[in-house]
Amino acid sequence: MSVAPTLRLVLGDQLSRSLASLRGLDPLHDVVLMAEVDDEATYVQHHKQKIALVLAAMRAFAEELRSDRIQIDYVKLDGAGNSGSIVGELGRAAERHRPGRIILTAPGEHRLLEALKAFAEGSHVPVEILDDDRFFTSPAAFAAWAGGRKMLRMEHFYRHMRRETGILMDGDAPAGGAWNFDADNRKRLPKRHAPARPPRFDPTAETRAVLDMVETRFSDHFGETDAFGWAVSRTQALEALDFFLRNHLRTFGDYQDAMASNDPFVFHSLLSPYLNIGLLDPKEVCEAAETAFRDGLVPINAAEGFIRQILGWREYVRGVYWLHMPEYGSRNALNAKRPLPDFYWTGETRMNCIAHAVKAASKFAYGHHIQRLMVTGNFALLAGLDPAEVSDWYMTVYADAFEWVEHPNTLGMALFADGGLLASKPYAASGAYINRMSDYCGTCAYSQREKLGEDACPFNYLYWDFLMRNRSALESNPRLRMLLRTLSGFPDERRKAIGAAAKTFLDDL
Ligand code: FAD
Ligand code: DLZ
Ligand code: SF4
C-alpha cells in the first residue's frame, strides 16, 4: 500500500535547512514544494535585484536539497500553468501529489499568513502552519514581554534579551561593564577615507539566467542589475559573514553612523538580505561576533553595537509588527499627506545627500541604516510625506525589504506615524546632523550653514517648520520640551520666515 506523501512548502525567504516545515522530513515519501510566483514579485514592485536574489537563492537551495536526495517539486516563474500565487501553487501541488497532509512554516508577512490560513480552512487535506522559530524570540513571547507595559522601548527589550540568551553577559553583568556603548559610536570618517569594499559574488550561470529573466519580465521595476553581487547560497553567505568579521566588524562601532560620498557601505555588514531570506541564522551571526570580541579581535563597542542591531532591533521590530498588524500598516499619527516626490525614484535633486541615497539604492539595492533613517527618512518626516507611499518606497528599493522589518522601521522609527509606540521621539534633524556625519554637504548645491534663503539647506527650515506644524501632536512629549521652548523663543518674524520658506519649497516639490 502506498503512503500518501507529506507536502512541505518552502517560501523564498525560508531558505534554511533548520526550517520548522523541513523537520522530520522523510526523503522516501515527502515532497518539498517551492514555487516562483508573480504575486510575490509585484505586490509591491520590488527592486530587480531583490527579485533576482530571492529567485536565484531559491534555485540554489532547491539544488542543495536535491543533492541530498530530497524530492523537490520546483515551479518556475514561466512554468506551464503557473497560477501566479503561493496559494494557487499549493492547490495545484495538492492535486499533483495527493498528499496526506501539508506542512508549512508561518510566513513573515501578515498578508500571506492570512491567505495561507484561508487556504488551510478550505483545504480537504489537513494543513499545519508551524511557528517560524529562526529568531531569538517568538511573537507570543514578545507579546508577553510587552503586556502591561505602558511604553515599549527597544533598550529595555534588548537588556531582557541579553539576560535571556546570555549573549555578551558575564554572569549577571553586561560584558565590558555597560549595556550600550553608543557614545563611542558616532565618529566621523577620516578625511581621506578609503572605501571599505564588501565582498561581491560573481553571478553563476543560473543567477545570470535569473537576472536576464528579471530584466525582461520586470523591466518596469526600480533599480539596476549590473552591480548584482549578492551571495545566493549559504556557503557564499557564510563567506560574506566571515569577511565582515575579519575586515569590518572592528571599525563597525566607531563609524556606525558615518556616511561618505565615495562609499555607500562604510563598515556595515550587508548581511540583512541573508538573514532575512534564511541563508544565515541570527544566532550564529551574534555568536560569531561575540567570539570575535572574546578572542580579543574586536573591541566591545563594535561587538555590542553590532549584536544590538540583531538581538535588539531586529527582534524588537518583528515583535512590534506581529503585535499590531494589520492596523499598524495604515498608521498616520501626524496626518502626513504629501505625495512622494519624483526624486525618490530618479535621484534628480539638488539635495546631494538624497541624490546619493537614491542612486545607491538603484545601483546596489542597498542603503545603510543612517542613510535610510536620517536622509530619506528624515526628509520624508520633515516634509510630511504620506507614510503609506514612503513605506512602499522602502519596500521597493532595497534587497532586504520584508514588511515585518520594514513597516516598524519606516512607520515607527523614521516617520513617527505610530505616534511614538516604537520611538520615544521623532528622529527629526536639521542639515547640521547630516553635515556632521557625512561629506555630502561640502559638494551640495545648497549651503548647510545658511538657515533661510534660496541657497539654504532645505533640512534647516523644514526642521523647524515640522515642529511648528506638529506642535500640538508633540507638545506632551517630555523629550521635546526644551526644543519646543526654544521654538517659542523665536521672534514672530523668524517663525513666519521659516513657514514661508518651507511652504515655497514644499509647494515646488
Ligand atoms: P548592519 O548595519 O551591518 O547591521 C547588522 C544587522 O542588524 C543587519 O543586517 C540587520 O539584520 C540588523 N539591523 C540593523 N538595524 C536594524 C533595524 N533598525 N531593524 C531591524 N534590523 C536591523 N532592514 C531590513 O532588514 N529590511 C528592511 O526592509 C528595512 N527597512 C528599513 C527602513 C527604514 C526606514 C529604516 C530606517 C531601516 C530599515 N531597515 C531594514 C533596518 C536597517 O537599516 C537595515 O537592516 C540595515 O541597513 C541593513 O544593512 P546591513 O546588513 O549592512 O546592516
Ligand atoms: C520576495 C519573494 C519573491 C520576489 N518571490 C518569491 C517567489 O516567487 N516565491 C516565494 O515562495 N517567495 C518569494 N518571495 C518571498 C515572499 O515574498 C515571502 O515569503 C513573503 O513575503 C513572506 O515573508
Ligand atoms: Fe543634504 Fe542639506 Fe547637506 Fe545638501 S546641505 S547635502 S541638502 S544636508
Side-chain angles (χ1 to χ4, degrees):
M1 200 179 85
S2 72
V3 181
T6 297
L7 184 64
R8 298 170 183 270
L9 175 70
V10 174
L11 294 167
D13 56 354
Q14 298 183 338
L15 309 178
S16 318
R17 292 299 291 262
S18 64
L19 190 73
S21 49
L22 289 178
R23 267 173 231 153
L25 178 143
D26 173 357
L28 280 184
H29 297 109
D30 296 355
V31 178
V32 172
L33 171 68
M34 298 180 72
E36 299 177 0
V37 295
D38 261 328
D39 276 7
E40 294 305 311
T42 55
Y43 71 93
V44 291
Q45 294 214 316
H46 295 301
H47 195 298
K48 293 189 193 102
Q49 287 198 33
K50 178 185 173 184
I51 303 173
L53 166 67
V54 171
L55 300 188
M58 282 175 72
R59 291 182 185 192
F61 188 73
E63 210 38 60
E64 193 188 310
L65 296 184
R66 251 184 230 117
S67 66
D68 281 348
R69 298 179 181 284
I70 294 168
Q71 294 184 63
I72 307 288
D73 183 352
Y74 193 96
V75 182
K76 286 198 170 173
L77 208 52
D78 51 9
N82 189 325
S83 63
S85 76
I86 295 292
V87 164
E89 286 317 289
L90 207 45
R92 289 204 318 137
E95 290 289 310
R96 281 196 296 277
H97 301 289
R98 306 261 163 210
R101 59 179 183 155
I102 297 174
I103 300 189
L104 49 104
T105 306
E109 297 190 346
H110 183 268
R111 65 178 173 90
L112 193 53
L113 178 61
E114 290 304 299
L116 286 166
K117 277 186 182 163
F119 171 86
E121 270 168 31
S123 167
H124 303 303
V125 183
V127 180
E128 286 170 46
I129 303 183
L130 306 175
D131 287 345
D132 186 350
D133 53 13
R134 298 170 301 157
F135 291 87
F136 286 99
T137 193
S138 65
F142 184 86
W145 172 82
R149 280 170 198 265
K150 275 205 194 112
M151 282 186 309
L152 303 185
R153 288 296 165 253
M154 199 295 289
E155 194 60 36
H156 300 157
F157 170 76
Y158 169 57
R159 290 180 193 187
H160 165 73
M161 292 305 292
R162 293 268 296 271
R163 290 195 182 96
E164 285 268 297
T165 58
I167 292 179
L168 280 185
M169 295 296 291
D170 292 332
D172 291 337
W179 293 102
N180 179 318
F181 294 84
D182 251 1
D184 301 335
N185 290 3
R186 297 185 187 121
K187 296 191 179 63
R188 290 187 62 135
L189 287 164
K191 277 233 153 44
R192 270 184 291 277
H193 164 69
R197 298 272 175 235
R200 188 180 173 280
F201 299 88
D202 282 334
T204 58
E206 187 69 61
T207 304
R208 275 259 143 263
V210 171
L211 284 163
D212 290 345
M213 175 180 71
V214 168
E215 278 291 1
T216 314
R217 202 170 173 123
F218 305 106
S219 58
D220 55 340
H221 285 220
F222 176 82
E224 301 147 58
T225 55
D226 296 352
F228 185 100
W230 296 107
V232 298
S233 65
R234 173 154 168 84
T235 309
Q236 289 181 333
L238 283 170
E239 264 179 60
L241 170 62
D242 185 58
F243 180 93
F244 170 70
L245 294 169
R246 280 188 296 109
N247 298 290
H248 293 160
L249 177 58
R250 197 174 308 119
T251 33
F252 173 90
D254 286 355
Y255 301 112
Q256 199 176 341
D257 289 359
M259 297 174 282
S261 310
N262 66 348
D263 185 358
F265 313 111
V266 194
F267 300 111
H268 291 267
S269 69
L270 279 80
L271 296 178
S272 51
Y274 315 139
L275 284 161
N276 293 354
I277 67 173
L279 297 182
L280 292 178
D281 180 83
K283 295 179 196 112
E284 74 185 340
V285 175
C286 289
E287 280 163 16
E290 174 164 14
T291 303
F293 162 67
R294 300 280 183 199
D295 290 350
L297 302 177
V298 304
I300 183 68
N301 71 310
E304 188 283 318
F306 179 72
I307 286 172
R308 177 161 21 97
Q309 307 311 314
I310 298 175
L311 178 63
W313 279 111
R314 189 169 183 271
E315 298 285 326
Y316 178 70
V317 298
R318 180 171 180 256
V320 168
Y321 177 83
W322 285 112
L323 199 56
H324 292 284
M325 280 301 279
E327 56 83 23
Y328 196 83
S330 52
R331 290 217 186 172
N332 189 359
L334 299 179
N335 200 20
K337 292 202 173 108
R338 197 172 298 283
L340 194 79
D342 259 7
F343 59 70
Y344 269 76
W345 302 113
T346 60
E348 279 164 28
T349 162
R350 293 170 68 213
M351 290 179 282
N352 199 29
C353 50
I354 294 198
H356 271 280
V358 173
K359 284 173 185 162
S362 174
K363 192 166 166 97
F364 300 111
Y366 181 79
H368 77 59
H369 187 65
I370 298 302
Q371 276 180 318
R372 299 187 200 197
L373 183 64
M374 300 310 292
V375 177
T376 43
N378 184 25
F379 183 85
L381 172 75
L382 300 185
L385 304 187
D386 181 339
E389 286 195 33
V390 178
S391 179
D392 268 4
W393 184 81
Y394 279 102
M395 281 298 294
T396 302
V397 305
Y398 294 123
D400 62 15
F402 287 91
E403 210 182 79
W404 64 266
V405 54
E406 179 277 335
H407 266 17
N409 270 295
T410 304
L411 301 170
M413 198 186 304
L415 301 182
F416 210 68
D418 67 1
L421 180 80
L422 186 136
S424 56
K425 73 179 181 70
Y427 280 90
S430 70
Y433 176 87
I434 296 173
N435 188 38
R436 194 163 59 246
M437 297 318 305
S438 78
D439 62 353
Y440 296 142
C441 303
T443 49
C444 184
Y446 291 108
S447 162
Q448 186 276 317
R449 276 188 305 276
E450 287 180 44
K451 309 289 175 232
L452 282 169
E454 232 172 70
D455 290 336
C457 166
F459 284 85
N460 289 344
Y461 48 79
L462 289 178
Y463 173 72
W464 291 110
D465 183 63
F466 164 79
L467 292 171
M468 294 194 296
R469 268 195 341 261
N470 294 292
R471 184 164 198 139
S472 59
L474 302 175
E475 218 147 31
S476 58
N477 188 318
R479 296 195 62 196
L480 294 178
R481 209 163 284 149
M482 284 287 283
L483 198 60
L484 291 173
R485 208 171 291 151
T486 307
L487 178 65
S488 303
F490 284 3
D492 272 357
E493 284 311 301
R494 184 164 171 200
R495 277 201 300 270
K496 272 191 200 138
I498 289 169
K503 183 169 180 339
T504 308
F505 178 84
L506 293 173
D507 284 352
D508 231 35
L509 285 179

